[in-house]
Amino acid sequence: MIDALFGSGLSRAVDGVFADAIRAMNDTDCIRVAVDIPSGLRADEPSSGQIVKADHTISFQTPKLAFLFPSHHKFVGEWHVLDIGLDKDFIRKQDVSHFVLTSRDIRKRLKTRSTYDHKGNYGHVLLVSGSYGKTGATVLSARAALRSGVGLLTVCVPSCGYVVLQSSVPEAMVLADPNERVISSIPELEKYSAIGVGPGLGQSGETVKALQSLLEQSKKPLVIDADGLNIIAEHRNLMHLVPAGSILTPHPKEFERIVGRWSNDFERLDKQIDLARQLNSVIVLKGAFTSIAAPDGGVYFNPTGNPGMATGGTGDVLTGILTGLMGQGYNCQEAAIVGVYLHGLAGDLAASDLGFESLIASDIIAYLPAAFQKIRNSGKKNQRHF
Amino acid sequence: MIDALFGSGLSRAVDGVFADAIRAMNDTDCIRVAVDIPSGLRADEPSSGQIVKADHTISFQTPKLAFLFPSHHKFVGEWHVLDIGLDKDFIRKQDVSHFVLTSRDIRKRLKTRSTYDHKGNYGHVLLVSGSYGKTGATVLSARAALRSGVGLLTVCVPSCGYVVLQSSVPEAMVLADPNERVISSIPELEKYSAIGVGPGLGQSGETVKALQSLLEQSKKPLVIDADGLNIIAEHRNLMHLVPAGSILTPHPKEFERIVGRWSNDFERLDKQIDLARQLNSVIVLKGAFTSIAAPDGGVYFNPTGNPGMATGGTGDVLTGILTGLMGQGYNCQEAAIVGVYLHGLAGDLAASDLGFESLIASDIIAYLPAAFQKIRNSGKKNQRHF
Amino acid sequence: MIDALFGSGLSRAVDGVFADAIRAMNDTDCIRVAVDIPSGLRADEPSSGQIVKADHTISFQTPKLAFLFPSHHKFVGEWHVLDIGLDKDFIRKQDVSHFVLTSRDIRKRLKTRSTYDHKGNYGHVLLVSGSYGKTGATVLSARAALRSGVGLLTVCVPSCGYVVLQSSVPEAMVLADPNERVISSIPELEKYSAIGVGPGLGQSGETVKALQSLLEQSKKPLVIDADGLNIIAEHRNLMHLVPAGSILTPHPKEFERIVGRWSNDFERLDKQIDLARQLNSVIVLKGAFTSIAAPDGGVYFNPTGNPGMATGGTGDVLTGILTGLMGQGYNCQEAAIVGVYLHGLAGDLAASDLGFESLIASDIIAYLPAAFQKIRNSGKKNQRHF
Amino acid sequence: MIDALFGSGLSRAVDGVFADAIRAMNDTDCIRVAVDIPSGLRADEPSSGQIVKADHTISFQTPKLAFLFPSHHKFVGEWHVLDIGLDKDFIRKQDVSHFVLTSRDIRKRLKTRSTYDHKGNYGHVLLVSGSYGKTGATVLSARAALRSGVGLLTVCVPSCGYVVLQSSVPEAMVLADPNERVISSIPELEKYSAIGVGPGLGQSGETVKALQSLLEQSKKPLVIDADGLNIIAEHRNLMHLVPAGSILTPHPKEFERIVGRWSNDFERLDKQIDLARQLNSVIVLKGAFTSIAAPDGGVYFNPTGNPGMATGGTGDVLTGILTGLMGQGYNCQEAAIVGVYLHGLAGDLAASDLGFESLIASDIIAYLPAAFQKIRNSGKKNQRHF
């Protein structure tokens, strides 16, 4: 975890002649390069006043926290980090709680497999997903869970998804809900080592009740995504039922439905940390530099991924990966760190072959094996993947 | 847009001894090569009288307009253009409105993606497509839209297509029409950034009404293809409802149903330009050297594509691509230029691996990533793909 | 067509001391190699008496007819042909009617495609196929027809095959028979350029009537396979309805049901030739060295193919290929020659990658593009593929 | 079969000062390497007392039996065998009944195919499999049977699997059980050359009766797996109906249901050998180093396979392979030896490309062609694959 994030930066807004200078610079047609940090931008707090709008920012040793927020993109542009030989032990000892993940962080968390392991060692996962017209989400989650290493997979879908799932994912067992169009009930949960819920669920009354029943019965942590989150945001009484040790994976709009508005990205981060503490769970806020807030206050920013992944179904794939990892015995923090990084890395490998436009969610599943292999091989060659 | 089309050519029909000479030449068994233009053929107007039937035509700097028409193939044969160093600035300044597309034209129109883009940046597209026995067309359009870079895709099919779509295209959401066999109604349209309509629709009474309703409600431009066009040709009162900024993609027979017969390809081109002006939309007339007529009178001929693409479903793929591009914010002219070229280029890359006979529509989708990559890479190496 | 088949051979059975010698040779444990032809075997007529059982036979210039019959395999073993420089013009001028196909024969028959060709140029094919539990045959035929270059494909299946076909072959249009389980009726046939009938049909009463109706209405030649043939064998009154210029593709058991038993492979060949003359159609008798009997008495033996193709569905693939070729304007004799050779070559290319055991019918379709390419490229390099 | 297993080892438990020494060694943090066999472990009998917990064991010429048991993994660690030049003829002549398979054992058992073979030569196999929610198992078994070289395949599934099977495995014919959700009846069995039963069956009353009927009617040996085994374990009266020459493929839990508990792996092996003798059938006990017990008392340990294969559906794939091989005329012992080895080798080839986590059951089918090819090619190059 060598990429701790810390930085000095200015303590107040730029004004006066300096502000005029920045304004003038921003008005030119030139390519602007900032060194360390764009003038006027604060590394660890909200900024105000004039700020240089750099096309490129060259920083040292570690990126600044501010670089990782969408709202700063117009100031920071594309950023680059140079290793200037600062003492790494010193960095490691700093009392920081914000980190950028590296492939080494993933590699050392990956479980190894033993010759005599059997299906039981890798868990039996349940996915609760789908509604009429949205069972494709279930297919994507299921395939991703399987490619993440789970031992057994059972999928709970409305009856309308029965043929779809059995045709598309022969490795999965299917529990068809008696309801044709929506999830209306929850099976016995005891035998499952992890449960993922949310993709394509919809928010019908039956499904709200089913989710409540799932939250009440589950003694194991959950991965909750998409409409699972939207239902909880609408029915706040469900919030306290979320089992400790779960993973919630909102995108910014879903997050806003849960925690309300924020005035800037620092506040958004605080809300994320607060929610993680409150639920004693991991909150994965999806986007560029997805942030993973752990219950202990630690935040992990993910450097993998690309705008080609901004396409329908990639979130369902992440849910499958995270549930698959939880099922194999990764705890919520490990699963989120490993899963989010792998998901983005698979997307990067796919984009490198297919380009941004043509990348679809299924490609991320198809490149998941290569992502696992790349992490493992990076260890062998002692290469560092950022 | 360096390949402006212009040419001098003869001003009158060949007759007398010259006609006899041409007749004699055409009767020989030799391979005939024309230089500049086959004698007797007029570059910019319909020809009459005797015309040399060349096997090959070698022309200079830019092809002549006449080379791009099917009816002239027997005179022009295979044509080749030599760069003889004519001043390109001079060419560019000519007041011409006919162009042959190059890969550079596509590359400079391709939108770039930014780190912080999310699904919303790439639009939510609706495809209205399919009828009993023709939902395969919907599958092809949907897959093509996804591989073209759209953020979210919803597909509206008759109920008979429900399992087909959910099994075949898990990334798409499905709105199943209450009617089992045909599209009979149109969903709320507000959230969609672009709409494609036509592939596999059939022309049932219910569907005619549904299309009328779609045309009346849509505030956004459409991509209209196949039976969407046939219905409009049959129900002329729908014509004026086509939203400005749409793309219509007829093949010659569908075009004839809309505009009536033409006596020669120049007249056909005029009718195409007129229709584009009248509807304030782009008319894509499909075939070899597909012509794209813009509302401003400009016509763009597409050099990519091959006879292996003369197989069922390739038009459905084009509809998906165009709708996907419109959904991402390309206007109708940009989408038509970029989409038609990419569609043909993907077909060319597929044919190079698979041959003409074995090429099927799905292959064009499979080679779409390579087509995007080829365009982008041609920029890096500064190569020109014709 | 350089591999005309002719040979001298013995005119009578071996007996006496020669027979004893052969018997003794056959009793040894050695590897036996025959030169020209195994002693005792007659090249062009049924043999009797003692015959050497060779492991290998090395023959000159052209194989003997007798080498191509299953019942002689135990005598001929693996056979090899050496070019000893016999005058090829002389060979070509012999009045022979038995030929072994070469890739050159296929290459020169392959139609070329022209820039301005459209879907209509490559025909609209109808496949009539399938019954409850056997619609997989329809899927295989349909995919093979598409990969053979057809312009448009419509598939007529019982309703139980509707979702199967639309999900598996999106490029095909589907006409679902009102009967859930079997084909019971025939659509309007006028628009189709070729029709294939038989794979997976079953032999229900409804289907017998439907086939009769098809035979009565069709003005175009058919490709008839599998249960299409079995029905005709059972209902001899249908035989005279087979349109001239059709292709029948029996395997030996189906052939026997039509023409009765044979006492040796020469008689079998005579029966095949007679049937071709009688129906004025091509009879393709499937097996190793598939024989293609034309109405003019010519017989073409196919050297491609391998025992890995002895697996369910490969016949359905051949039906699709032949129908696809007929639809593009190949006549029955051309289609049979080109299609049978390509089918076997695709199987050979597949087996070379996958081995005999693992080869399945779908692989032949997947390697069809490579087979077309190999034929075309063999021309470019002037290589001869036997 | 050169890797006969035999060894001397200690004849009594370690105690006293030696036990203290071992305890001390096991308490250190060092990597422990055992030579020949970890001290305290007995090669051919249950061990007691202190045993060295080696990380690696280096043994000579052949592995010891004890190395192949899961319960000894913590003592043996990763084991390696060095060829020290012991006389192989001597080894071969020992009266041992435990063997580790080598690729040579497989290669020499693989049947070769002859030019004139047809579908009939490779058998017609029946799979009886599937229940509501578990028809994916049927898909996997069916695909595996086809890729193993069977001539024809018929699959018997509950009606709910009809569309699933026809869409997923077009090469298979489907017999849909009249019951929607479970197998309730058995078709005529005469035409099938081998029958596989079990994957995904469930254990409903109807299916118990159907299995009983199958066992009573079948004159041919069966492959029995999964719920087929569980039903027999529950209904002991069915046990004696298992036809001689069958293959049973339990995993340890299924095996325990049949034979009861064991106190150590040697006893487990004895129970396996006993059951094989009692049923006059092959018992394949699945796991790392899958053991194959033949009716003659011979036991074959399989060295291929890896923990990536501990994922849902790999057992169904094995059932398909074994049934496919039986259908082609391999007897139960040959089929088990060849099939288990190929299954594991395909998994190893898949894992080498995809890694352990991402490997799913379908991958084993996809790599089956490569496994066959690797066995065959190992012969050509005279390489030995362990």
Side-chain angles (χ1 to χ4, degrees):
Chain A
M1 193 77 57
I2 57 179
D3 287 309
L5 294 172
F6 61 109
S8 49
L10 292 168
S11 55
R12 56 186 182 81
V14 171
D15 54 14
V17 64
F18 299 105
D20 291 344
I22 288 174
R23 207 174 288 118
M25 282 171 62
N26 286 346
D27 282 348
T28 64
D29 263 357
C30 305
I31 291 181
R32 285 174 291 275
V33 179
V35 175
D36 193 23
I37 189 165
S39 299
L41 185 67
R42 299 169 77 170
D44 295 323
E45 298 176 52
S47 306
S48 59
Q50 283 299 316
I51 304 171
V52 166
K53 291 179 177 165
D55 296 288
H56 292 269
T57 297
I58 294 165
S59 201
F60 308 115
Q61 214 65 36
T62 68
K64 310 277 185 285
L65 178 56
F67 295 2
L68 305 170
F69 290 148
S71 57
H72 296 160
H73 183 54
K74 60 176 177 282
F75 305 122
V76 179
E78 214 173 306
W79 55 264
H80 317 267
V81 175
L82 295 182
D83 185 337
I84 54 170
L86 293 191
D87 185 69
K88 279 167 194 167
D89 273 343
F90 173 82
I91 294 177
R92 216 166 284 134
K93 285 173 193 155
Q94 299 307 303
D95 182 22
V96 293
S97 56
H98 300 165
F99 307 91
V100 174
L101 295 171
T102 66
S103 80
R104 205 177 145 271
D105 297 322
I106 312 310
R107 196 170 64 249
K108 71 182 189 195
R109 280 174 175 81
L110 273 190
K111 293 183 186 293
T112 54
R113 297 199 158 192
S114 166
T115 307
Y116 288 96
D117 284 352
H118 53 81
K119 276 186 295 200
N121 294 101
Y122 307 132
H124 186 166
V125 150
L126 178 72
L127 286 173
V128 180
S129 165
S131 59
Y132 195 76
K134 293 182 179 172
T135 56
T138 317
V139 169
L140 293 169
S141 291
R143 286 177 173 159
L146 285 164
R147 286 264 178 234
S148 305
V150 78
L152 282 173
L153 171 64
T154 293
V155 178
C156 194
V157 272
S159 312
C160 65
Y162 178 74
V163 168
V164 174
L165 261 289
Q166 294 264 287
S167 299
S168 303
V169 197
E171 285 85 359
M173 288 169 288
V174 176
L175 288 175
D177 196 285
N179 191 302
E180 173 69 15
R181 301 176 66 97
V182 298
I183 291 288
S184 69
S185 62
I186 295 297
E188 288 280 323
L189 298 178
E190 269 185 39
K191 65 177 160 184
Y192 303 109
S193 55
I195 301 169
V197 61
L201 269 192
Q203 304 183 42
S204 73
E206 292 94 327
T207 302
V208 172
K209 279 181 198 157
L211 180 61
Q212 175 160 359
S213 158
L214 170 61
L215 290 169
E216 286 167 353
Q217 287 175 46
S218 181
K219 288 159 191 160
K220 305 253 176 58
L222 306 172
V223 178
I224 311 178
D225 184 32
D227 281 326
L229 297 169
N230 290 329
I231 289 174
I232 290 174
E234 279 286 307
H235 304 266
R236 315 291 300 191
N237 59 316
L238 300 184
M239 186 80 87
H240 75 282
L241 295 173
V242 173
S246 294
I247 305 178
L248 282 69
T249 58
H251 59 53
K253 277 196 189 161
E254 290 161 350
F255 188 59
E256 188 184 310
R257 285 178 203 126
I258 297 173
V259 301
R261 300 216 162 173
W262 48 83
S263 56
N264 61 64
D265 288 343
F266 289 95
E267 190 186 340
R268 190 186 71 166
L269 182 59
D270 288 342
K271 281 173 178 282
Q272 185 184 359
I273 295 168
D274 288 348
L275 187 63
R277 283 208 171 103
Q278 178 195 332
L279 298 181
N280 200 9
S281 290
V282 167
I283 309 300
V284 173
L285 184 52
K286 298 183 289 193
F289 302 110
T290 288
S291 52
I292 300 166
D296 67 1
V299 181
Y300 306 86
F301 291 91
N302 180 51
T304 61
N306 62 76
M309 297 170 73
T311 183
T314 54
D316 308 324
V317 170
L318 180 61
T319 301
I321 294 173
L322 297 177
T323 313
L325 292 172
M326 297 267 279
Q328 291 167 74
Y330 290 82
N331 68 33
C332 60
Q333 185 167 330
E334 292 166 340
I337 286 173
V338 170
V340 167
Y341 190 98
L342 280 170
H343 179 256
L345 180 56
D348 290 345
L349 295 169
S352 150
D353 283 357
L354 307 172
F356 290 161
E357 284 91 349
S358 290
L359 197 162
I360 63 175
S362 293
D363 299 326
I364 299 176
I365 303 170
Y367 280 81
L368 208 47
F372 271 105
Q373 299 281 74
K374 191 173 171 75
I375 297 282
R376 285 239 157 75
N377 292 336
S378 71
K380 285 174 193 159
K381 298 169 195 158
N382 211 17
Q383 286 176 333
R384 175 152 169 275
H385 176 97
F386 189 79
Chain B
M1 194 74 58
I2 57 180
D3 286 309
L5 295 172
F6 61 109
S8 48
L10 293 167
S11 56
R12 57 188 180 81
V14 172
D15 55 14
V17 64
F18 299 105
D20 291 344
I22 288 174
R23 208 174 289 117
M25 281 171 62
N26 286 345
D27 281 348
T28 64
D29 262 357
C30 304
I31 291 180
R32 285 173 291 274
V33 179
V35 176
D36 194 22
I37 190 166
S39 299
L41 185 68
R42 300 170 76 170
D44 295 323
E45 297 177 53
S47 307
S48 60
Q50 283 300 315
I51 305 172
V52 165
K53 291 179 177 167
D55 297 288
H56 292 268
T57 298
I58 294 164
S59 201
F60 307 116
Q61 215 65 36
T62 69
K64 309 278 186 280
L65 179 57
F67 295 2
L68 304 170
F69 290 148
S71 57
H72 296 160
H73 183 55
K74 60 177 176 282
F75 305 122
V76 180
E78 213 173 307
W79 54 264
H80 316 266
V81 174
L82 296 182
D83 185 338
I84 54 169
L86 293 191
D87 185 70
K88 280 169 192 165
D89 272 346
F90 173 81
I91 294 177
R92 215 167 284 135
K93 285 173 194 156
Q94 299 308 303
D95 183 21
V96 292
S97 56
H98 299 165
F99 309 90
V100 174
L101 295 171
T102 67
S103 79
R104 206 177 144 271
D105 298 322
I106 311 311
R107 197 171 61 250
K108 72 182 190 196
R109 281 172 174 81
L110 273 190
K111 293 182 186 293
T112 55
R113 298 199 158 191
S114 166
T115 307
Y116 289 96
D117 284 352
H118 53 80
K119 278 186 293 200
N121 293 102
Y122 307 132
H124 186 166
V125 150
L126 178 72
L127 285 173
V128 179
S129 164
S131 59
Y132 196 74
K134 294 183 179 171
T135 55
T138 317
V139 170
L140 294 169
S141 291
R143 286 177 174 159
L146 285 165
R147 287 263 179 234
S148 305
V150 78
L152 281 173
L153 171 64
T154 293
V155 177
C156 195
V157 273
S159 311
C160 65
Y162 178 74
V163 168
V164 174
L165 260 291
Q166 293 265 286
S167 298
S168 303
V169 198
E171 285 85 359
M173 288 169 288
V174 177
L175 288 174
D177 196 285
N179 190 303
E180 173 70 16
R181 301 176 66 96
V182 299
I183 291 288
S184 69
S185 63
I186 295 295
E188 287 281 323
L189 298 178
E190 268 185 38
K191 64 177 158 184
Y192 301 109
S193 56
I195 300 168
V197 62
L201 268 192
Q203 303 183 42
S204 72
E206 291 95 326
T207 302
V208 172
K209 279 181 197 157
L211 180 61
Q212 175 160 0
S213 158
L214 170 62
L215 291 169
E216 285 167 353
Q217 285 174 48
S218 180
K219 286 158 191 160
K220 306 252 174 58
L222 307 171
V223 178
I224 311 178
D225 184 32
D227 281 326
L229 297 169
N230 290 329
I231 289 172
I232 290 175
E234 278 287 306
H235 304 266
R236 316 292 299 192
N237 60 315
L238 300 184
M239 186 80 85
H240 75 281
L241 295 173
V242 173
S246 294
I247 305 178
L248 281 69
T249 57
H251 60 53
K253 277 197 189 160
E254 290 161 350
F255 187 59
E256 189 184 309
R257 285 177 203 127
I258 297 172
V259 301
R261 300 215 163 173
W262 48 84
S263 55
N264 62 62
D265 288 343
F266 289 95
E267 190 187 339
R268 190 187 71 166
L269 182 59
D270 288 342
K271 281 174 178 282
Q272 185 185 359
I273 294 168
D274 287 349
L275 186 65
R277 283 209 170 102
Q278 178 196 330
L279 298 181
N280 201 9
S281 290
V282 166
I283 310 298
V284 173
L285 185 52
K286 298 184 290 193
F289 303 110
T290 288
S291 52
I292 300 165
D296 66 2
V299 181
Y300 306 86
F301 291 91
N302 180 50
T304 61
N306 61 77
M309 297 170 73
T311 183
T314 53
D316 309 324
V317 171
L318 180 61
T319 301
I321 294 173
L322 296 176
T323 313
L325 293 172
M326 297 268 279
Q328 291 167 73
Y330 291 82
N331 69 32
C332 61
Q333 185 167 331
E334 292 165 340
I337 286 173
V338 170
V340 167
Y341 190 97
L342 279 170
H343 178 256
L345 180 56
D348 290 345
L349 295 169
S352 150
D353 284 355
L354 307 172
F356 289 161
E357 284 92 349
S358 290
L359 198 162
I360 63 175
S362 293
D363 298 326
I364 299 175
I365 303 170
Y367 280 82
L368 208 47
F372 272 105
Q373 298 282 74
K374 192 174 171 73
I375 297 282
R376 285 239 157 75
N377 291 336
S378 72
K380 286 173 191 160
K381 298 168 193 159
N382 212 15
Q383 287 175 330
R384 177 154 167 273
H385 175 97
F386 188 78
Chain C
M1 194 74 58
I2 56 180
D3 287 307
L5 293 173
F6 60 108
S8 49
L10 293 167
S11 56
R12 57 187 178 82
V14 170
D15 54 16
V17 62
F18 299 105
D20 291 343
I22 288 174
R23 208 175 289 121
M25 282 171 63
N26 285 347
D27 282 347
T28 66
D29 262 358
C30 304
I31 292 180
R32 286 174 289 276
V33 178
V35 175
D36 194 20
I37 190 165
S39 299
L41 185 68
R42 299 170 76 170
D44 295 324
E45 298 176 53
S47 306
S48 58
Q50 283 300 316
I51 305 172
V52 166
K53 290 178 177 167
D55 296 290
H56 291 270
T57 298
I58 295 164
S59 201
F60 307 116
Q61 214 65 36
T62 69
K64 310 277 184 284
L65 178 56
F67 295 2
L68 304 170
F69 290 148
S71 57
H72 297 161
H73 183 53
K74 59 177 177 280
F75 306 121
V76 178
E78 216 173 307
W79 54 264
H80 317 267
V81 174
L82 295 182
D83 185 337
I84 53 170
L86 295 190
D87 186 69
K88 280 169 193 165
D89 273 345
F90 172 80
I91 294 177
R92 216 166 283 133
K93 285 171 193 155
Q94 300 307 303
D95 182 21
V96 292
S97 57
H98 299 164
F99 308 91
V100 174
L101 295 171
T102 67
S103 81
R104 205 177 146 271
D105 297 322
I106 311 310
R107 197 171 63 247
K108 72 185 190 193
R109 280 173 175 82
L110 273 190
K111 293 181 187 292
T112 54
R113 297 198 158 192
S114 165
T115 306
Y116 288 96
D117 284 352
H118 53 80
K119 277 186 295 199
N121 295 100
Y122 307 132
H124 186 167
V125 149
L126 179 71
L127 286 174
V128 179
S129 164
S131 59
Y132 195 75
K134 294 183 179 171
T135 55
T138 317
V139 169
L140 293 169
S141 291
R143 286 178 174 158
L146 285 164
R147 287 263 178 233
S148 305
V150 78
L152 281 174
L153 171 64
T154 293
V155 177
C156 194
V157 271
S159 312
C160 65
Y162 178 74
V163 168
V164 175
L165 261 291
Q166 294 264 286
S167 298
S168 303
V169 198
E171 285 85 358
M173 287 169 289
V174 176
L175 288 175
D177 196 286
N179 191 303
E180 173 70 13
R181 300 177 66 96
V182 298
I183 292 288
S184 69
S185 63
I186 296 297
E188 289 278 325
L189 299 178
E190 268 185 38
K191 64 176 159 185
Y192 302 109
S193 56
I195 300 169
V197 62
L201 268 193
Q203 302 184 43
S204 72
E206 292 95 327
T207 303
V208 172
K209 279 182 197 155
L211 180 61
Q212 174 160 1
S213 158
L214 170 61
L215 291 169
E216 285 167 355
Q217 286 174 49
S218 181
K219 287 160 190 158
K220 305 252 176 58
L222 306 172
V223 177
I224 312 179
D225 183 32
D227 281 326
L229 298 169
N230 291 329
I231 289 173
I232 290 175
E234 278 286 306
H235 304 265
R236 317 291 301 191
N237 60 315
L238 300 184
M239 186 80 84
H240 76 281
L241 295 174
V242 174
S246 294
I247 304 179
L248 281 69
T249 57
H251 60 54
K253 277 196 190 161
E254 290 161 352
F255 188 58
E256 190 184 308
R257 285 178 203 128
I258 298 173
V259 301
R261 299 216 162 173
W262 48 85
S263 55
N264 61 63
D265 288 344
F266 289 95
E267 190 186 339
R268 191 187 71 166
L269 182 58
D270 288 342
K271 282 173 177 283
Q272 186 185 358
I273 295 168
D274 287 350
L275 186 64
R277 283 208 171 102
Q278 178 195 331
L279 298 181
N280 201 8
S281 289
V282 166
I283 310 299
V284 173
L285 184 51
K286 298 184 288 194
F289 303 110
T290 289
S291 52
I292 301 165
D296 66 2
V299 180
Y300 306 86
F301 290 91
N302 180 50
T304 61
N306 62 75
M309 298 169 73
T311 183
T314 54
D316 308 324
V317 170
L318 180 61
T319 302
I321 294 174
L322 297 176
T323 313
L325 293 172
M326 298 267 279
Q328 290 166 74
Y330 292 81
N331 69 32
C332 60
Q333 185 167 331
E334 293 165 340
I337 286 173
V338 170
V340 167
Y341 190 97
L342 280 171
H343 178 256
L345 180 57
D348 290 344
L349 295 169
S352 149
D353 283 356
L354 307 173
F356 289 161
E357 284 91 349
S358 290
L359 197 162
I360 63 175
S362 293
D363 299 325
I364 299 176
I365 303 170
Y367 281 81
L368 209 47
F372 272 105
Q373 299 281 75
K374 191 174 172 74
I375 297 282
R376 285 238 157 75
N377 291 336
S378 72
K380 285 174 192 159
K381 298 168 194 157
N382 211 17
Q383 288 176 330
R384 177 155 168 271
H385 174 96
F386 189 80
Chain D
M1 194 74 59
I2 56 179
D3 287 308
L5 294 173
F6 62 108
S8 49
L10 293 168
S11 55
R12 55 186 180 82
V14 171
D15 55 14
V17 64
F18 299 104
D20 291 344
I22 288 175
R23 208 174 288 121
M25 282 171 63
N26 286 347
D27 281 347
T28 64
D29 263 357
C30 305
I31 291 181
R32 284 174 291 277
V33 178
V35 175
D36 194 20
I37 189 165
S39 299
L41 185 68
R42 300 169 76 171
D44 295 325
E45 298 176 52
S47 308
S48 60
Q50 283 299 316
I51 304 171
V52 166
K53 291 179 177 166
D55 296 290
H56 291 270
T57 297
I58 294 164
S59 201
F60 307 116
Q61 213 66 36
T62 68
K64 309 279 183 284
L65 178 57
F67 295 2
L68 304 170
F69 290 147
S71 58
H72 296 160
H73 183 54
K74 59 177 175 282
F75 305 122
V76 179
E78 215 172 306
W79 53 266
H80 316 267
V81 174
L82 295 182
D83 185 338
I84 54 171
L86 293 190
D87 185 69
K88 279 169 193 166
D89 273 344
F90 172 81
I91 294 176
R92 216 167 283 134
K93 285 171 194 157
Q94 300 307 305
D95 182 22
V96 292
S97 56
H98 299 163
F99 308 91
V100 174
L101 295 171
T102 66
S103 80
R104 205 178 147 270
D105 298 322
I106 312 312
R107 196 170 65 249
K108 71 184 190 193
R109 280 173 175 81
L110 274 189
K111 295 181 185 293
T112 54
R113 299 198 158 193
S114 166
T115 308
Y116 288 95
D117 284 351
H118 53 80
K119 276 185 296 199
N121 295 101
Y122 307 132
H124 186 167
V125 150
L126 178 72
L127 286 173
V128 179
S129 165
S131 60
Y132 195 75
K134 294 182 178 171
T135 55
T138 317
V139 169
L140 293 170
S141 291
R143 286 178 173 157
L146 285 163
R147 286 264 178 233
S148 305
V150 78
L152 282 173
L153 172 64
T154 293
V155 178
C156 193
V157 272
S159 313
C160 65
Y162 178 74
V163 167
V164 174
L165 261 290
Q166 294 264 287
S167 298
S168 303
V169 198
E171 286 84 359
M173 288 169 290
V174 177
L175 288 175
D177 195 285
N179 190 302
E180 173 70 14
R181 300 175 68 96
V182 298
I183 292 288
S184 69
S185 62
I186 296 296
E188 288 279 323
L189 299 179
E190 268 185 39
K191 65 177 159 185
Y192 302 109
S193 56
I195 301 169
V197 61
L201 269 193
Q203 303 184 42
S204 72
E206 291 95 327
T207 302
V208 172
K209 280 182 198 155
L211 180 60
Q212 174 161 0
S213 157
L214 169 62
L215 290 169
E216 285 168 353
Q217 285 174 49
S218 181
K219 287 159 191 159
K220 304 251 177 58
L222 306 172
V223 178
I224 312 179
D225 183 32
D227 281 326
L229 296 170
N230 290 329
I231 289 173
I232 289 175
E234 278 286 307
H235 304 266
R236 315 290 301 189
N237 60 315
L238 300 184
M239 186 82 83
H240 76 281
L241 295 173
V242 172
S246 293
I247 303 179
L248 281 69
T249 58
H251 59 53
K253 277 195 189 162
E254 290 160 351
F255 188 59
E256 188 184 309
R257 285 176 204 129
I258 297 173
V259 300
R261 300 216 162 174
W262 48 84
S263 56
N264 62 63
D265 287 345
F266 289 94
E267 190 187 339
R268 191 186 71 168
L269 182 59
D270 288 341
K271 282 173 178 281
Q272 185 184 359
I273 295 168
D274 288 348
L275 187 64
R277 283 207 171 104
Q278 178 195 333
L279 298 181
N280 202 7
S281 289
V282 167
I283 310 298
V284 173
L285 184 52
K286 298 184 288 194
F289 303 111
T290 289
S291 51
I292 300 166
D296 65 2
V299 180
Y300 306 86
F301 290 90
N302 180 50
T304 61
N306 61 76
M309 297 169 74
T311 182
T314 54
D316 308 325
V317 170
L318 180 61
T319 302
I321 294 173
L322 296 177
T323 313
L325 293 172
M326 298 268 279
Q328 291 166 73
Y330 291 82
N331 67 33
C332 60
Q333 186 167 329
E334 293 166 340
I337 286 173
V338 170
V340 167
Y341 190 97
L342 280 170
H343 178 257
L345 180 56
D348 289 344
L349 295 169
S352 149
D353 283 357
L354 308 171
F356 290 160
E357 285 91 348
S358 290
L359 197 162
I360 62 174
S362 293
D363 299 325
I364 299 176
I365 304 170
Y367 280 82
L368 208 47
F372 272 105
Q373 299 282 74
K374 191 173 172 73
I375 297 282
R376 285 240 158 73
N377 291 336
S378 70
K380 285 174 191 158
K381 296 169 196 158
N382 210 17
Q383 287 176 331
R384 175 151 170 274
H385 175 96
F386 189 80

